[in-house]
């Protein structure tokens, strides 16, 4: 959007406010797969998830309704 001055803070803010992402990897752990910022800079569709790296891949493990895998606890490499 601003090839002559892309890192100017106002240009960055304008670019983020223009963002309306509904598909692709960055939108995957969001509900309802939508990234868009309002005038205050908040994403009203954002929510918290817990990721756990399993076999080298990040997996959503909480909330349960959105989980891609079951949480592994204690970690598989931990001995008790």
């Amino acid at each position: 959007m601003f090839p002559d001055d892309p890192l100017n803070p106002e240009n960055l803010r304008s670019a983020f406010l223009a963002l309306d992402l509904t598909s692709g990897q960055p939108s995957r752990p969001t509900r309802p797969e939508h990234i868009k910022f309002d005038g205050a800079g908040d994403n009203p569709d954002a929510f918290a998830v817990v990721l756990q790296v399993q076999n080298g891949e990040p997996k959503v493990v909480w909330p349960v309704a959105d989980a891609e895998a079951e949480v592994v606890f204690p970690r598989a490499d931990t001995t008790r």
Side-chain angles (χ1 to χ4, degrees), residues 8-54:
N8 174 299
E10 287 305 313
N11 293 346
L12 285 170
R13 178 174 170 72
S14 294
F16 276 110
L17 289 176
L19 182 69
D20 191 357
L21 187 61
T22 58
S23 65
Q25 184 65 24
S27 69
R28 187 176 61 89
T30 63
R31 187 179 3 186
E33 298 183 354
H34 191 212
I35 300 173
K36 182 171 178 58
F37 299 96
D38 62 19
D42 295 325
N43 177 0
D45 295 317
F47 74 106
V49 298
V50 176
L51 297 173
Q52 185 178 50
V53 177
Q54 297 179 0

